[in-house]
Amino acid sequence: MVRVSGLEKNYRDGDRQIKVLSDLSLELRAGQSLALTGPSGSGKSTLLNVLAGLIPSDAGEVALCFGQHNFALHQMHEAALTRMRRHYIGYVYQFFNLVPTLTVLENVRLPARLNKAKELDQLAVDLLCDFGLGARLDVFPHVLSGGEQQRVAVARALLAKPPLILADEPTGNLDVDNTARVAQLLFGTAKEMGLSVIVATHSEEIAGRADQHLRLGGPSV
């Protein structure tokens, strides 16, 4: 489902070239989960962004296979990458990225509305109830705790049942109790739905829940 071969990504800092990802290869089958760990700056977020087609790699290949739909990211233009993300990838951001002018329910429904999939409206309600947010459907994000906002972000990513979930430090700003709860919701619900999960994390607890574990080293000059 996810196949990465010889991936490289570099950044420039003045006259220096900083190598963040070097000759990276990995494979993840449908329905499996992968935890990315490593020190800050080791390329965890960069790798997620490359897999989502948000930034290009400098070398190597990324192939995503969703049933009969195959995507070679290095050969795709931006419009095609955007369509792929909307239909096949759910992204959980570290800082939630909820729309402040939309209610909790409207935030979760947003990806489905963009894809004109109104049939998912009731599933949005059901997910939020399952996530312990049934009484918060009509409130706005600013009144939610950090743990509640992250649960909304996870529900939004899962709503359309995209085959691939990418999560960037989804519990990085949460306390121990909320970390455990969000981890259970993310991995447990994805497993029930048969979705693949790739999560970047500093948490050993989160990493321990994944089927595979890849530790990235720090950047080199």
Side-chain angles (χ1 to χ4, degrees):
M1 177 181 174
V2 177
R3 183 175 295 109
V4 176
S5 177
L7 189 68
E8 295 193 7
K9 183 63 182 178
N10 307 312
Y11 292 104
R12 295 208 66 84
D13 180 12
D15 294 332
R16 299 188 307 162
Q17 178 173 272
I18 300 174
K19 188 178 293 292
V20 178
L21 300 173
S22 178
D23 195 25
L24 175 66
S25 298
L26 65 89
E27 288 191 8
L28 187 70
R29 296 197 303 272
Q32 288 191 320
S33 56
L34 168 67
L36 305 173
T37 63
S40 296
S42 61
K44 300 185 298 297
S45 296
T46 296
L47 178 55
L48 291 183
N49 287 332
V50 170
L51 293 175
L54 292 170
I55 60 175
S57 62
D58 293 316
E61 298 182 355
V62 176
L64 305 180
C65 306
F66 307 121
Q68 301 301 312
H69 303 279
N70 301 318
F71 301 95
L73 270 58
H74 57 288
Q75 297 176 350
M76 296 170 64
H77 53 75
E78 186 55 42
L81 289 167
T82 298
R83 289 194 297 271
M84 179 199 70
R85 281 193 297 271
R86 284 177 55 179
H87 291 283
Y88 298 102
I89 295 176
Y91 210 116
V92 182
Y93 295 91
Q94 180 177 0
F95 297 105
F96 319 134
N97 276 23
L98 303 180
V99 181
T101 56
L102 299 181
T103 67
V104 165
L105 181 57
E106 289 169 339
N107 264 281
V108 173
R109 285 177 172 172
L110 183 59
R113 292 297 174 90
L114 291 174
N115 288 332
K116 300 180 180 179
K118 290 187 176 181
E119 69 275 7
L120 297 176
D121 283 359
Q122 185 57 48
L123 178 59
V125 174
D126 294 341
L127 273 176
L128 286 166
C129 289
D130 290 344
F131 284 18
L133 295 167
R136 310 290 261 169
L137 302 182
D138 298 320
V139 305
F140 292 90
H142 73 275
V143 305
L144 301 178
S145 68
E148 288 174 326
Q149 290 188 53
Q150 193 59 291
R151 278 181 269 159
V152 174
V154 172
R156 180 179 59 187
L158 291 169
L159 177 63
K161 300 181 182 179
L164 179 60
I165 302 292
L166 303 175
D168 192 2
E169 293 286 357
T171 62
N173 300 292
L174 305 182
D175 58 31
V176 173
D177 290 340
N178 277 309
T179 291
R181 185 169 193 176
V182 168
Q184 176 57 37
L185 292 170
L186 177 60
F187 284 101
T189 306
K191 183 71 72 175
E192 290 174 7
M193 292 181 174
L195 314 179
S196 295
V197 177
I198 301 178
V199 56
T201 183
H202 286 287
S203 168
E204 292 300 323
E205 178 184 355
I206 300 297
R209 291 175 179 263
D211 298 316
Q212 298 183 39
H213 184 184
L214 175 62
R215 181 172 179 81
L216 301 177
S220 59
V221 178

